[in-house]
Structure formats: C-alpha cells, structure tokens
Amino acid sequence: MPKIIGGSLQEHREQTRNKLFAALSTLMADRGFDAVSLADIASAANVGRTAVYNHFADKEALLIGFITHETEQYVATLERALSEVTDPVEQLRTYVRQQANLSTVFHVAPGPDLRTVLSKSTRMQLREHAIVVETILRRILRAGIITRQFPDQNVDVTVRLINACLSGSHLPSDPAERARAIDATEAFVLRAVGVPPRVARFGVTR
C-alpha cells in the first residue's frame, strides 16, 4: 500500500494533487503543455504514475483541475482586495492591478496556444473559468455606470476589450519598469472606460 502523505487520506489526496499541480506548472513554464506527458508530471511530482490516474483521467483533466484550483485561489484574493474599497473607480484600479500582476502558467506557457492543442470540451471548461473573473469586472463596470462615474456603455464589449488588453500584456521583470508598465496599463483602461483624467499619487496622469 502506498505511503500516506499527511495525517489522513483526505490530506494525502490534497497534498498529492498539489504536488501534481506544482509539477504541471513548472513543466508547462519550461516546455509548454503539449510537450509534457503524464509520466513527466508524475516524475517531477515524485509520485507513481498510477497515482496520477487516481486523481485525473488524463492530462487535460489534470490541466482543468489545476486551472480550477488556480482560479479559485485568484478569485478569493481578488474579492478580498475589492472588499477593501467601495468606489467603482478604485475597484477598477484594483482589478487592473490584480490582473496585471497575475502570472499564470496557462497564459504564458511556451509552445502552441492552449486553444490549439486542447479538445473542444476542455476549451469550453477553460472558458467557464474565465467567465467567473469576467463576472467580477462586469459587476464593477455596472456599479460605475449606475453611480455615473463611468459613462453608459456596452458592458459586454468593454469587458472583452479590457481583458484582451490585460491578457496580452507582457510586463518587464525589472521592478521599476514593471511598476511603470502597470501604471500605464491602469491609466489606459481607466481612460478607455471614460474615467475623467486626473493626476494620481504616483504622478501618473489617469
């Protein structure tokens, strides 16, 4: 019988899943999803290959499990950050900064775009996770329109444009350059939704 990690079977399963997620994340960042096998993941996680199948039927199921875990963690962090501010403009700033700082391997992995190597059903499940985050942005925009801090606009179109801007950004690794790039991204998004320009605390015109 395999050695149990942790104090219970449930803890063992959770820790094994986390090891698999960490291995997948590292390997995807290094090679890209399409170049990674389940055997590679099991080896990197230091678990038997049969242990992988105890949790996930195939590599795409593992990817969905990983992204589900990452999305849940991110949404919880985002909602905590948003709960500290009530003004829609400041909430939009918070959303932009949280998204800009998000470094998820399934967005930046080398190799072919995930959408070109995944099955249709898996792509649909990935889309469902994106919708969870989009719902938060849609809520912020509608609050801003209701309070007349944002001009009336097609929220669905605005959500797509903002997220296209944020998902396509590649931030510099240098901390100072990275901070300036995030400031510029925030300023651009705020202008795009119609927030009147003003000088912010860091001297950036928004």
PDB file of all heavy atoms in Angstrom, residues 8-22:
ATOM      1  N   SER A   8      -4.134  12.104   7.171  1.00  0.00           N
ATOM      2  CA  SER A   8      -5.365  11.411   6.802  1.00  0.00           C
ATOM      3  C   SER A   8      -5.369  11.173   5.300  1.00  0.00           C
ATOM      4  O   SER A   8      -4.566  11.745   4.554  1.00  0.00           O
ATOM      5  CB  SER A   8      -6.592  12.245   7.191  1.00  0.00           C
ATOM      6  OG  SER A   8      -6.641  13.445   6.417  1.00  0.00           O
ATOM      7  N   LEU A   9      -6.293  10.321   4.863  1.00  0.00           N
ATOM      8  CA  LEU A   9      -6.410  10.039   3.439  1.00  0.00           C
ATOM      9  C   LEU A   9      -6.780  11.305   2.664  1.00  0.00           C
ATOM     10  O   LEU A   9      -6.261  11.543   1.567  1.00  0.00           O
ATOM     11  CB  LEU A   9      -7.446   8.941   3.204  1.00  0.00           C
ATOM     12  CG  LEU A   9      -7.647   8.498   1.741  1.00  0.00           C
ATOM     13  CD1 LEU A   9      -6.333   7.996   1.154  1.00  0.00           C
ATOM     14  CD2 LEU A   9      -8.726   7.431   1.671  1.00  0.00           C
ATOM     15  N   GLN A  10      -7.666  12.109   3.241  1.00  0.00           N
ATOM     16  CA  GLN A  10      -8.066  13.354   2.577  1.00  0.00           C
ATOM     17  C   GLN A  10      -6.872  14.296   2.419  1.00  0.00           C
ATOM     18  O   GLN A  10      -6.675  14.894   1.352  1.00  0.00           O
ATOM     19  CB  GLN A  10      -9.172  14.051   3.376  1.00  0.00           C
ATOM     20  CG  GLN A  10      -9.660  15.353   2.728  1.00  0.00           C
ATOM     21  CD  GLN A  10     -10.810  15.981   3.505  1.00  0.00           C
ATOM     22  OE1 GLN A  10     -11.330  15.398   4.447  1.00  0.00           O
ATOM     23  NE2 GLN A  10     -11.206  17.178   3.115  1.00  0.00           N
ATOM     24  N   GLU A  11      -6.079  14.404   3.481  1.00  0.00           N
ATOM     25  CA  GLU A  11      -4.897  15.256   3.416  1.00  0.00           C
ATOM     26  C   GLU A  11      -3.892  14.696   2.411  1.00  0.00           C
ATOM     27  O   GLU A  11      -3.236  15.446   1.680  1.00  0.00           O
ATOM     28  CB  GLU A  11      -4.257  15.373   4.800  1.00  0.00           C
ATOM     29  CG  GLU A  11      -3.118  16.379   4.865  1.00  0.00           C
ATOM     30  CD  GLU A  11      -2.570  16.535   6.278  1.00  0.00           C
ATOM     31  OE1 GLU A  11      -3.236  16.076   7.226  1.00  0.00           O
ATOM     32  OE2 GLU A  11      -1.465  17.110   6.407  1.00  0.00           O
ATOM     33  N   HIS A  12      -3.780  13.383   2.383  1.00  0.00           N
ATOM     34  CA  HIS A  12      -2.890  12.729   1.420  1.00  0.00           C
ATOM     35  C   HIS A  12      -3.310  13.074  -0.010  1.00  0.00           C
ATOM     36  O   HIS A  12      -2.464  13.436  -0.850  1.00  0.00           O
ATOM     37  CB  HIS A  12      -2.930  11.216   1.631  1.00  0.00           C
ATOM     38  CG  HIS A  12      -2.282  10.436   0.522  1.00  0.00           C
ATOM     39  ND1 HIS A  12      -0.925  10.292   0.417  1.00  0.00           N
ATOM     40  CD2 HIS A  12      -2.832   9.769  -0.532  1.00  0.00           C
ATOM     41  CE1 HIS A  12      -0.646   9.565  -0.660  1.00  0.00           C
ATOM     42  NE2 HIS A  12      -1.788   9.236  -1.242  1.00  0.00           N
ATOM     43  N   ARG A  13      -4.592  12.974  -0.301  1.00  0.00           N
ATOM     44  CA  ARG A  13      -5.090  13.278  -1.638  1.00  0.00           C
ATOM     45  C   ARG A  13      -4.845  14.745  -1.990  1.00  0.00           C
ATOM     46  O   ARG A  13      -4.437  15.066  -3.109  1.00  0.00           O
ATOM     47  CB  ARG A  13      -6.580  12.944  -1.736  1.00  0.00           C
ATOM     48  CG  ARG A  13      -6.901  11.462  -1.724  1.00  0.00           C
ATOM     49  CD  ARG A  13      -8.397  11.223  -1.904  1.00  0.00           C
ATOM     50  NE  ARG A  13      -8.887  11.775  -3.159  1.00  0.00           N
ATOM     51  CZ  ARG A  13      -8.797  11.170  -4.338  1.00  0.00           C
ATOM     52  NH1 ARG A  13      -8.223   9.971  -4.424  1.00  0.00           N
ATOM     53  NH2 ARG A  13      -9.271  11.736  -5.420  1.00  0.00           N
ATOM     54  N   GLU A  14      -5.092  15.632  -1.043  1.00  0.00           N
ATOM     55  CA  GLU A  14      -4.897  17.060  -1.299  1.00  0.00           C
ATOM     56  C   GLU A  14      -3.432  17.379  -1.571  1.00  0.00           C
ATOM     57  O   GLU A  14      -3.112  18.124  -2.506  1.00  0.00           O
ATOM     58  CB  GLU A  14      -5.402  17.881  -0.106  1.00  0.00           C
ATOM     59  CG  GLU A  14      -5.281  19.381  -0.318  1.00  0.00           C
ATOM     60  CD  GLU A  14      -5.840  20.172   0.851  1.00  0.00           C
ATOM     61  OE1 GLU A  14      -6.539  19.573   1.697  1.00  0.00           O
ATOM     62  OE2 GLU A  14      -5.574  21.386   0.923  1.00  0.00           O
ATOM     63  N   GLN A  15      -2.550  16.805  -0.775  1.00  0.00           N
ATOM     64  CA  GLN A  15      -1.128  17.073  -0.957  1.00  0.00           C
ATOM     65  C   GLN A  15      -0.611  16.472  -2.267  1.00  0.00           C
ATOM     66  O   GLN A  15       0.237  17.073  -2.936  1.00  0.00           O
ATOM     67  CB  GLN A  15      -0.333  16.547   0.227  1.00  0.00           C
ATOM     68  CG  GLN A  15      -0.565  17.330   1.516  1.00  0.00           C
ATOM     69  CD  GLN A  15       0.414  16.944   2.619  1.00  0.00           C
ATOM     70  OE1 GLN A  15       1.517  16.485   2.341  1.00  0.00           O
ATOM     71  NE2 GLN A  15       0.014  17.149   3.869  1.00  0.00           N
ATOM     72  N   THR A  16      -1.126  15.322  -2.625  1.00  0.00           N
ATOM     73  CA  THR A  16      -0.726  14.715  -3.893  1.00  0.00           C
ATOM     74  C   THR A  16      -1.172  15.581  -5.065  1.00  0.00           C
ATOM     75  O   THR A  16      -0.407  15.821  -6.015  1.00  0.00           O
ATOM     76  CB  THR A  16      -1.317  13.296  -4.037  1.00  0.00           C
ATOM     77  OG1 THR A  16      -0.847  12.475  -2.963  1.00  0.00           O
ATOM     78  CG2 THR A  16      -0.912  12.670  -5.366  1.00  0.00           C
ATOM     79  N   ARG A  17      -2.404  16.052  -5.019  1.00  0.00           N
ATOM     80  CA  ARG A  17      -2.916  16.938  -6.066  1.00  0.00           C
ATOM     81  C   ARG A  17      -2.064  18.202  -6.160  1.00  0.00           C
ATOM     82  O   ARG A  17      -1.718  18.664  -7.258  1.00  0.00           O
ATOM     83  CB  ARG A  17      -4.380  17.302  -5.798  1.00  0.00           C
ATOM     84  CG  ARG A  17      -5.362  16.173  -6.066  1.00  0.00           C
ATOM     85  CD  ARG A  17      -6.743  16.515  -5.523  1.00  0.00           C
ATOM     86  NE  ARG A  17      -7.321  17.652  -6.224  1.00  0.00           N
ATOM     87  CZ  ARG A  17      -8.097  17.565  -7.289  1.00  0.00           C
ATOM     88  NH1 ARG A  17      -8.377  16.371  -7.814  1.00  0.00           N
ATOM     89  NH2 ARG A  17      -8.606  18.633  -7.863  1.00  0.00           N
ATOM     90  N   ASN A  18      -1.714  18.778  -5.008  1.00  0.00           N
ATOM     91  CA  ASN A  18      -0.899  19.995  -5.020  1.00  0.00           C
ATOM     92  C   ASN A  18       0.478  19.739  -5.627  1.00  0.00           C
ATOM     93  O   ASN A  18       1.031  20.596  -6.335  1.00  0.00           O
ATOM     94  CB  ASN A  18      -0.761  20.554  -3.605  1.00  0.00           C
ATOM     95  CG  ASN A  18      -2.042  21.186  -3.095  1.00  0.00           C
ATOM     96  OD1 ASN A  18      -2.913  21.562  -3.887  1.00  0.00           O
ATOM     97  ND2 ASN A  18      -2.177  21.298  -1.791  1.00  0.00           N
ATOM     98  N   LYS A  19       1.044  18.564  -5.356  1.00  0.00           N
ATOM     99  CA  LYS A  19       2.336  18.214  -5.942  1.00  0.00           C
ATOM    100  C   LYS A  19       2.210  18.067  -7.461  1.00  0.00           C
ATOM    101  O   LYS A  19       3.103  18.490  -8.210  1.00  0.00           O
ATOM    102  CB  LYS A  19       2.862  16.915  -5.320  1.00  0.00           C
ATOM    103  CG  LYS A  19       3.315  17.061  -3.876  1.00  0.00           C
ATOM    104  CD  LYS A  19       3.662  15.720  -3.246  1.00  0.00           C
ATOM    105  CE  LYS A  19       4.900  15.109  -3.876  1.00  0.00           C
ATOM    106  NZ  LYS A  19       5.304  13.854  -3.176  1.00  0.00           N
ATOM    107  N   LEU A  20       1.113  17.481  -7.908  1.00  0.00           N
ATOM    108  CA  LEU A  20       0.889  17.345  -9.342  1.00  0.00           C
ATOM    109  C   LEU A  20       0.689  18.705 -10.000  1.00  0.00           C
ATOM    110  O   LEU A  20       1.208  18.960 -11.095  1.00  0.00           O
ATOM    111  CB  LEU A  20      -0.323  16.444  -9.602  1.00  0.00           C
ATOM    112  CG  LEU A  20      -0.160  14.970  -9.233  1.00  0.00           C
ATOM    113  CD1 LEU A  20      -1.493  14.234  -9.332  1.00  0.00           C
ATOM    114  CD2 LEU A  20       0.885  14.298 -10.127  1.00  0.00           C
ATOM    115  N   PHE A  21      -0.053  19.592  -9.334  1.00  0.00           N
ATOM    116  CA  PHE A  21      -0.267  20.934  -9.874  1.00  0.00           C
ATOM    117  C   PHE A  21       1.049  21.693  -9.987  1.00  0.00           C
ATOM    118  O   PHE A  21       1.319  22.369 -10.980  1.00  0.00           O
ATOM    119  CB  PHE A  21      -1.244  21.725  -8.998  1.00  0.00           C
ATOM    120  CG  PHE A  21      -2.653  21.204  -8.999  1.00  0.00           C
ATOM    121  CD1 PHE A  21      -3.519  21.471  -7.936  1.00  0.00           C
ATOM    122  CD2 PHE A  21      -3.139  20.441 -10.056  1.00  0.00           C
ATOM    123  CE1 PHE A  21      -4.815  20.997  -7.934  1.00  0.00           C
ATOM    124  CE2 PHE A  21      -4.443  19.961 -10.067  1.00  0.00           C
ATOM    125  CZ  PHE A  21      -5.282  20.244  -8.995  1.00  0.00           C
ATOM    126  N   ALA A  22       1.877  21.588  -8.941  1.00  0.00           N
ATOM    127  CA  ALA A  22       3.164  22.282  -8.943  1.00  0.00           C
ATOM    128  C   ALA A  22       4.062  21.743 -10.056  1.00  0.00           C
ATOM    129  O   ALA A  22       4.742  22.507 -10.751  1.00  0.00           O
ATOM    130  CB  ALA A  22       3.845  22.127  -7.585  1.00  0.00           C
TER     131      ALA A  22
END
